[in-house]
Every structure is written in structure tokens, then in C-alpha cells.
Amino acid sequence: MGFKSVLCVTGSDHSDEDVRTAAGLCAEVGAYLSVLIMSPPPLVMSPPPLGDGIPEWPRQSAQAIVRLDKRFRQIETFSQDMARLEKTTREIQRLLRAMSLCYDVDTDYCDRASVGDAVRQRALCSDLTIVGPALLNDINLGPLVINGSLFDTGKPVLVVPKGAEATLSPRRVLVGWDSRAEASRAVREALDLLTGAEEVRIALVDPEATYNGNGAEPGAGIAAYLTRHGARVSVDRLPSAGKPVATVLAQHAIDTSADMIVMGAYGSRRLRERLFGGVTRWIVGKPPLPLFLAR
């Protein structure tokens, strides 16, 4: 079926790098692009304490002053954030008009607790969410977007680190396979990418032949599945030699000149932000390859 509707989430203080990346991918496959510009989750700041040489006011008056000062600061912050949102929206609309794409641009100003829901609503009606370099580098907004688009929707996410040559028509794809449901979902969601590639390598790290896991011949089942869909598949069973699985896969991606890595995303609700941190750490010092994730 292919990717016909793509979501790109960016921050109001980000550069246009992520939107350019998503727009280029949409132009490549003729997809519709939805851009969601979000204000950075506001930081909670405590009012300065009274005392320490400052003359003390009567208790009720002091509390009223603190509340009023906090209210003024909230209004000022809101005005600044809205101005940034409007400015970024105009710049992105101007960029996309010049690219002759079918697109829409929306904004959302919300607190941290609402970011995931705002992203989830839009990701549910998209085929793919793009997480570009700027969002990947935003430790405040990035994890919330990952949570809303990946964990809460069942839809895939394409992580594009800085320096990666992103494409939705990769020639060589490496699939990290471990016979788990998340890996199966990633393969299913990436099926159009895999069947269109010149070469698909199924990589298993330290696989064990088990009756109810990998089967008697690890990787054979998923290879047969992809072959029936028309993909050109080979299976690589790799020893870890004591190295982390991610390190082994990254090195194998280099050795096989892969254009993209497809793998399942794991983690309970309590481990979601760890996943984001793990993804960002994993791509640092690794080949700058797009990472296709599904849950």
C-alpha cells in the first residue's frame, strides 16, 4: 500500500531541517505531509523565596504578590511562545509552498502531559511519523513525541539522525530479527520498503534453535515470508562475541552497506524514555542510517 500520509513533528524553536527531510521523503513517494509545530514543554519555575535581607510583607500580601508575579510571567511566556509558533508556521509554509507538495501545517501549544495525546491523535491518521535530527536532539520534546507516535498508536516511526541520507526507496536494508512480536510488526510495517529493495538481509545475533522461538533454522521463517512477498532475502546469523546486540547490528550495517535498519521497538511504559535515550546513544558514533521502528 505504501506510505501515503506522513507526519512530521517539530518544535517552534527548531530549524527547518526536520521538515525539509520529511518533505523530501514525501516528494520521493508522492505522499501527503502533515506538519505539527509544537511549543517546547514549559519548564516549571519556582518563585524566588522571600527573606534573606528582603523586608517581609504581611503573609497574605506576600502570597498575593507571588501569585500576581507568577501570573504575569505566565502571560509573558505565553505571548513569546505564540509569537515563535506563528513565525515558525509562516517560515514552514513558505518552504513547503516552494516544494509543490500536498501538505498541511498545524500548531499545538500544550503542557508536557498533553504532548503525547496531541501527537497520538495525528499519528493515528498517518502511515509514518518522521523523527528528524532536531527533534532527536531535543531531550524535552523528543521522548514525548516518540511515546505518542510509536507506543500509543501501533504506527511506525522513521528516525533520521543527522548526516543520514534518508530515503523511502532503500536499495539495501538490514532487518534486526529476534522472533518477537515487535520485530514482526516492524517487518510488516516496512513491507513496501523491503519488497522494493534490491537486497534485504535478516540479521540474527546469537540465535538459538528452539521449537517455540526461532525454530529449527533461525531466520528461515521470516525469510520465507518476505520471499513470498517478492523480497530478495538472505539470512545472516551473527555471533556477538560478548558485544551488545546494537553494536553488532551497527557494524553489520556498515559491512553490508545498508541504507536503512528495520527493527522492533521494545520497552514497557516505565522504559519509554529509556528507549529514546537508547536510540539517541545508539546512533551516536554509529553509521548515520535511518532507523525504522515499530512497536
Side-chain angles (χ1 to χ4, degrees):
M1 184 175 64
F3 303 108
K4 298 301 182 183
S5 181
V6 172
L7 172 65
C8 174
V9 183
T10 188
S12 60
D13 57 350
H14 293 175
S15 69
D16 63 6
E17 184 177 15
D18 291 3
V19 177
R20 286 183 180 275
T21 297
L25 293 173
C26 288
E28 181 183 16
V29 298
Y32 186 95
L33 176 61
S34 292
V35 177
L36 175 60
I37 308 170
M38 307 202 75
S39 177
L43 299 176
V44 178
M45 301 181 64
S46 303
L50 295 176
D52 296 329
I54 300 176
E56 293 189 4
W57 294 70
R59 183 175 181 82
Q60 291 182 344
S61 298
Q63 290 176 343
I65 291 173
V66 168
R67 287 196 299 269
L68 187 60
D69 178 66
K70 184 177 180 180
R71 180 58 178 165
F72 280 141
R73 285 188 284 116
Q74 288 175 338
I75 293 173
E76 182 180 11
T77 299
F78 176 78
S79 299
Q80 293 171 349
D81 290 344
M82 293 307 296
R84 277 198 301 268
L85 277 172
E86 292 174 2
K87 179 176 181 291
T88 303
T89 299
R90 290 193 300 270
E91 292 172 349
I92 289 177
Q93 287 176 332
R94 186 162 54 247
L95 166 67
L96 295 178
R97 279 196 299 269
M99 298 186 71
S100 301
L101 288 175
C102 294
Y103 69 91
D104 66 76
V105 179
D106 195 8
T107 62
D108 206 314
Y109 183 85
C110 56
D111 57 22
R112 290 180 59 87
S114 303
V115 170
D117 284 337
V119 174
R120 181 185 65 83
Q121 291 173 8
R122 292 164 176 84
L124 280 171
C125 300
S126 302
D127 296 314
L128 180 70
T129 299
I130 306 293
V131 174
L135 186 60
L136 194 61
N137 194 48
D138 190 331
I139 60 173
N140 290 316
L141 188 58
L144 303 176
V145 172
I146 288 281
N147 289 350
S149 59
L150 180 63
F151 284 99
D152 296 335
T153 65
K155 297 297 185 72
V157 167
L158 182 65
V159 178
V160 183
K162 192 172 186 62
E165 296 184 7
T167 177
L168 290 177
S169 302
R171 295 174 57 194
R172 289 175 292 274
V173 182
L174 179 70
V175 177
W177 182 256
D178 59 4
S179 298
R180 295 174 65 174
E182 290 86 350
S184 178
R185 173 65 68 85
V187 168
R188 181 65 186 87
E189 293 291 342
L191 195 55
D192 285 296
L193 301 177
L194 301 176
T195 55
E198 295 178 6
E199 180 183 28
V200 176
R201 304 185 78 104
I202 307 296
L204 300 90
V205 180
D206 293 335
E208 295 182 1
T210 55
Y211 175 75
N212 60 352
N214 290 315
E217 188 178 352
I222 190 61
Y225 168 79
L226 286 172
T227 299
R228 294 184 197 111
H229 280 276
R232 292 165 283 278
V233 185
S234 60
V235 177
D236 300 325
R237 302 181 183 95
L238 310 172
S240 67
K243 299 177 183 177
V245 171
T247 300
V248 176
L249 289 176
Q251 184 58 53
H252 198 56
I254 296 174
D255 296 340
T256 58
S257 301
D259 300 314
M260 179 183 292
I261 298 175
V262 172
M263 60 192 303
Y266 310 100
S268 65
R269 288 182 176 273
R270 291 179 299 174
L271 297 177
R272 290 182 178 185
E273 289 201 10
R274 283 194 191 179
L275 170 73
F276 181 83
V279 168
T280 54
R281 286 192 301 272
W282 189 74
I283 63 175
V284 172
K286 303 298 190 299
L289 295 176
L291 182 63
F292 187 98
L293 296 169
R295 169 68 173 163

